[in-house]
Amino acid sequence: MDFYAVQSTTMLVVLVVLLAIKGFAFVNALTYRAEAYEAAGKLTKQAWCLITGLGFAAQLILIGSSPLGIIHLVFTIASLVYLADVRPALREVTSPR
């Protein structure tokens, strides 16, 4: 197996993982009520759905481009921020006590 085959396979794996992350963040952003975003003190539901949805759509549309391009990196960071910061805050305000 030559270097280029390994590189291509690695980039394909990275592309699929980033697509899964962005898709999960988008679907998860859709599942919470708008009031939960306000109670958690985060951006609105519409804003997070737009950010994560555009990231997921850009990943699908630009599927042939490098997953390390600037557009992919910006939306990947936004999706990771949603998953690491916003989602736990939403779960905290919506969890039954």
Side-chain angles (χ1 to χ4, degrees), residues 45-77:
K45 178 179 181 170
Q46 293 80 13
W48 278 113
C49 288
L50 181 67
I51 292 167
T52 57
L54 283 175
F56 185 59
Q59 185 81 28
L60 287 174
I61 292 169
L62 303 172
I63 196 112
S65 67
S66 170
L68 301 177
I70 189 72
I71 292 173
H72 292 303
L73 289 176
V74 167
F75 283 121
T76 298
I77 291 169

Side-chain angles (χ1 to χ4, degrees), residues 9 17 19 27 29 44 74 81 91-92:
T9 303
V17 168
L19 183 64
V27 171
T44 64
V74 167
V81 166
R91 290 178 77 189
E92 185 177 311

Side-chain angles (χ1 to χ4, degrees), residues 4-5 18 20 24 31 45 55 58 67 79-80 84 88 92 95:
Y4 296 109
L18 293 180
F24 177 75
T31 61
K45 178 179 181 170
S79 293
L80 291 173
E92 185 177 311
S95 67

